[in-house]
Amino acid sequence: MSGLAITSLSLSHFRSHRATRLTFDGRPVAIVGPNGAGKTNILEAVSLLSPGRGLRRAAGDELARRPEALGWRITAAVRGLAADHDIETGAEGAEARHLRIDGKAAAQLALGRILRVLWLVPAMDRLWIEAAEGRRRFLDRLTLSFFPDHAEAVLAYDKAMRERNRLLKEGVSDARWYGALEGQMAEAAVSLMANRALALARLAAAQEGAETAFPRADLSLTAPEGEAEAGALPALWAEGRRRDMAAGRTLIGPHRTDLAAVYAAKSTPAAQCSTGEQKALLISLILANARALAADLGRAPVLLLDEVAAHLDSARRAALYDEICALGAQALMTGTEAALFDPLGDRAQTLHIHDENGQSRIEP
């Protein structure tokens, strides 16, 4: 099975890359070099070929190379779901980020209908012990991989909720204003909550009976105050307006949902697992997500795995590479030592990157 793939990538004044041009052949890619050389910046560039703010969630002005700050540009040729495409995104100076697909201006949400990109970065290692907000973002990225329109539901819900919160902070009491906004929130919540539940069901099915060296994670959604049913939300919002006004924000809704994970074989909540076990659970979920998408779409997604090999023993590294190759996925992986990727042999393309006077340089 051939996966979705980036076939060429060009970076102009992006982070540490003044002018970098890369060609990929569809195999997994090992990007090797010292810390600070610009390895993760390549992965971040690819993540910006999917909807959203990328794997670092950076603002547009943070992406431009310093000290020039002239703007930045990413161009890529991709093997997409239905056809090959040329994608360009970037920003000039202080202007808003633009996107062009095959030379035509497009909305970011269109990227989800061309590519599916999954990532795992070191910042996610604390996912199970940090605040719920990070787990919701993880959940919605996972859900977006299955349902490209999920982003529209999230944006619609958040926009209406921000307006409701503004009324609450200003002490507005007119029920008609609240009713209209709560109706918009409820409509978006139906799709948002259904998508999340379906995504977790697809993930569970992909883990069932899978031959993998990584532990199964049983996922579930938790929500406060019995709001599991989307249909109950309008009444709860109406009843809670006085309390929400005192708090200055909406206290009930899918924006309060949390994602719980259990190490299935040990019946242990992920938050109580060792650091190594938590990492293994995350890798397991990314691989299950990729398997489910490959089954649904007939093509594996692009995987971005930052410094993932450094956290695994030699047996687990070899198992991870075998699973990636069996999927037929293009995985861009970073590491400080080439030896970390030795089990891949000629199944992978290797790039060596180093810093030269503040600029990333790449050699085959």
Side-chain angles (χ1 to χ4, degrees):
M1 180 191 302
S2 62
L4 303 173
I6 315 300
T7 54
S8 68
L9 180 71
S10 296
L11 311 180
S12 175
H13 291 84
F14 179 82
R15 297 283 194 183
S16 59
H17 295 266
R18 178 176 291 163
T20 295
R21 294 175 177 80
L22 301 170
T23 300
F24 304 120
D25 58 18
R27 290 179 295 167
V29 182
I31 305 172
V32 179
N35 293 327
K39 303 186 300 293
T40 304
N41 295 339
I42 296 173
L43 271 58
E44 182 179 27
V46 175
S47 74
L48 290 168
L49 302 177
S50 65
R53 293 167 57 184
L55 57 79
R56 284 191 177 115
R57 294 180 51 78
D61 60 357
E62 298 177 81
L63 301 174
R65 176 179 162 79
R66 304 293 177 179
E68 299 96 326
L70 300 174
W72 56 277
R73 181 176 297 128
I74 300 166
T75 58
V78 307
R79 186 168 68 220
L81 284 167
D84 294 346
H85 296 278
D86 293 318
I87 300 174
E88 177 191 305
T89 188
E92 302 296 331
E95 295 180 4
R97 177 182 166 190
H98 68 262
L99 171 67
R100 295 186 181 88
I101 299 175
D102 298 328
K104 298 180 180 179
Q108 278 197 47
L109 296 179
L111 291 170
R113 296 177 175 85
I114 293 175
L115 278 179
R116 306 294 167 88
V117 183
L118 311 180
W119 57 76
L120 182 59
V121 299
M124 295 164 64
D125 289 354
R126 294 179 56 82
L127 183 73
W128 306 117
I129 57 176
E130 68 178 2
E133 181 182 1
R135 288 187 291 277
R136 278 193 296 273
R137 283 199 301 268
F138 178 79
L139 169 63
D140 284 327
R141 284 295 314 178
L142 186 157
T143 304
L144 181 65
S145 74
F146 291 106
F147 308 107
D149 62 351
H150 182 67
E152 298 176 17
V154 172
L155 290 172
Y157 179 87
D158 286 348
K159 180 180 179 181
M161 184 179 67
R162 285 195 301 271
E163 287 298 307
R164 184 180 189 271
N165 288 346
R166 182 180 62 82
L167 296 182
L168 293 168
K169 290 176 182 177
E170 294 176 356
V172 175
S173 58
D174 191 330
R176 292 172 298 178
W177 286 98
Y178 287 104
L181 290 171
E182 288 161 4
Q184 295 172 25
M185 290 168 64
E187 182 178 357
V190 169
S191 176
L192 189 160
M193 295 169 72
N195 287 347
R196 285 174 172 174
L198 288 170
L200 292 197
R202 289 293 300 114
L203 214 59
Q207 292 186 94
E208 190 69 40
E211 295 184 8
T212 176
F214 296 91
R216 172 174 174 150
D218 289 338
L219 301 181
S220 61
L221 302 178
T222 62
E225 303 208 21
E227 58 186 84
E229 297 296 329
L233 288 171
L236 291 172
W237 286 325
E239 294 167 3
R241 287 171 194 164
R242 189 177 300 276
R243 181 189 60 181
D244 288 356
M245 190 175 292
R249 66 186 189 279
T250 303
L251 296 174
I252 291 176
H255 64 288
R256 298 289 305 278
T257 296
D258 200 354
L259 177 67
V262 172
Y263 190 132
K266 297 185 175 183
S267 299
T268 304
Q272 298 175 19
C273 291
S274 70
T275 301
E277 288 172 335
Q278 290 176 357
K279 185 73 174 188
L281 288 171
L282 279 172
I283 294 173
S284 178
L285 290 173
I286 294 297
L287 291 173
N289 195 172
R291 287 195 300 270
L293 286 172
D296 290 351
L297 305 173
R299 288 191 172 192
V302 175
L303 303 179
L304 308 177
L305 305 175
D306 193 19
E307 301 289 352
V308 68
H311 299 276
L312 303 175
D313 60 32
S314 58
R316 278 267 174 85
R317 283 200 297 271
L320 172 63
Y321 302 152
D322 287 345
E323 290 198 38
I324 289 170
C325 291
L327 272 169
Q330 183 188 53
L332 277 67
M333 299 173 284
T334 66
T336 56
E337 299 176 15
L340 293 170
F341 302 103
D342 282 350
L344 278 164
D346 60 7
R347 295 182 296 174
Q349 178 181 0
T350 301
L351 302 175
H352 296 271
I353 184 170
H354 61 275
D355 177 84
E356 186 175 288
N357 299 322
Q359 178 173 332
S360 297
R361 295 287 187 186
I362 295 179
E363 300 170 354

